[in-house]
Amino acid sequence: MKKSFTNKLSIISFISIPIIFLWHPYWLGFLGVQPYWPLFWLLPWSMINGSINGLVFGLFLGLILDSLTLDNNFSQIPGLIFCGFLFGRIKFHSDILLGHLRYGLICALGSFLCGSLYLSQILFKNFSDNNSLIFISGVKNILAEVFLTGLFAPFICSQLLRMFKFSRRKLQ
């Protein structure tokens, strides 16, 4: 039973992303914005399994999250694919403290990229409106999301990385 559970640990954690995305815990937010939850799972998964798996699971995450928000005409897929591929190119570091801080910086950068790609889709669709308020509030949301993602990433990513390494060792 324990071996079966450790084999399915990454799948269980993958399924929890849409649940957290829908749950949207407001007590973890800042200025009404939440951290970008998919990056917390995508970073350790891509670091362990490589850039092609990161790209594929970034696509799957984007498809799942886009299907949860059916009323939007905008997609999270391009940002998650790009981040999954980029995260797969990152190697482990031996220094534990530097590794934890690095997770925060990498996730903050990924959150900025995903948020910027999402905002560019919104601005491209609403280009004819000449409404600068969309741009200002979008930048505020991106910066708050980057801050929260970078703040929580060292805690969450290091635990998930340890869990993924443990379950991978059990499989071998």
Side-chain angles (χ1 to χ4, degrees), residues 14 17-18 21 36 38 42 54-70 72 74-81:
F14 182 79
I17 294 169
F21 188 78
Y36 198 52
L42 193 59
L55 184 136
V56 169
F57 276 91
L59 173 67
F60 287 152
L61 274 173
L63 287 172
I64 290 169
L65 295 179
D66 283 349
S67 68
L68 291 175
T69 56
L70 292 176
N72 273 343
F74 313 109
S75 178
Q76 298 179 25
I77 294 173
L80 288 172
I81 286 175

Side-chain angles (χ1 to χ4, degrees), residues 6-7 9-10 13 41 43-49 90-96 99-100 102-103 156-172:
T6 55
N7 291 345
L9 217 48
S10 58
S13 63
W41 187 88
L43 175 65
W45 177 263
S46 299
M47 284 177 69
I48 291 174
N49 295 309
I90 299 169
K91 302 298 178 210
F92 298 109
H93 200 274
S94 61
D95 188 13
I96 292 175
H100 288 303
R102 196 170 89 165
Y103 299 145
I156 298 171
C157 289
S158 62
Q159 295 301 316
L160 283 173
L161 187 67
R162 186 178 304 141
M163 183 176 68
F164 292 159
K165 279 184 181 178
F166 178 74
S167 65
R168 189 176 180 121
R169 240 180 299 157
K170 289 289 186 180
L171 289 174
Q172 294 174 351

Side-chain angles (χ1 to χ4, degrees), residues 60-171:
F60 287 152
L61 274 173
L63 287 172
I64 290 169
L65 295 179
D66 283 349
S67 68
L68 291 175
T69 56
L70 292 176
D71 58 338
N72 273 343
N73 297 328
F74 313 109
S75 178
Q76 298 179 25
I77 294 173
L80 288 172
I81 286 175
F82 185 66
C83 285
F85 181 76
L86 211 66
F87 292 167
R89 313 290 276 163
I90 299 169
K91 302 298 178 210
F92 298 109
H93 200 274
S94 61
D95 188 13
I96 292 175
L97 179 63
L98 184 61
H100 288 303
L101 294 176
R102 196 170 89 165
Y103 299 145
L105 291 174
I106 293 168
C107 276
L109 175 69
S111 177
F112 180 75
L113 289 173
C114 289
S116 297
L117 286 172
Y118 197 78
L119 180 64
S120 66
Q121 292 175 31
I122 294 170
L123 292 176
F124 185 73
K125 182 172 179 169
N126 299 321
F127 182 71
S128 62
D129 294 343
N130 276 339
N131 194 352
S132 63
L133 293 177
I134 293 174
F135 180 74
I136 293 170
S137 81
V139 169
K140 176 202 68 107
N141 289 343
I142 289 172
L143 292 177
E145 186 177 77
V146 165
F147 171 72
L148 286 173
T149 305
L151 182 68
F152 291 132
F155 307 111
I156 298 171
C157 289
S158 62
Q159 295 301 316
L160 283 173
L161 187 67
R162 186 178 304 141
M163 183 176 68
F164 292 159
K165 279 184 181 178
F166 178 74
S167 65
R168 189 176 180 121
R169 240 180 299 157
K170 289 289 186 180
L171 289 174

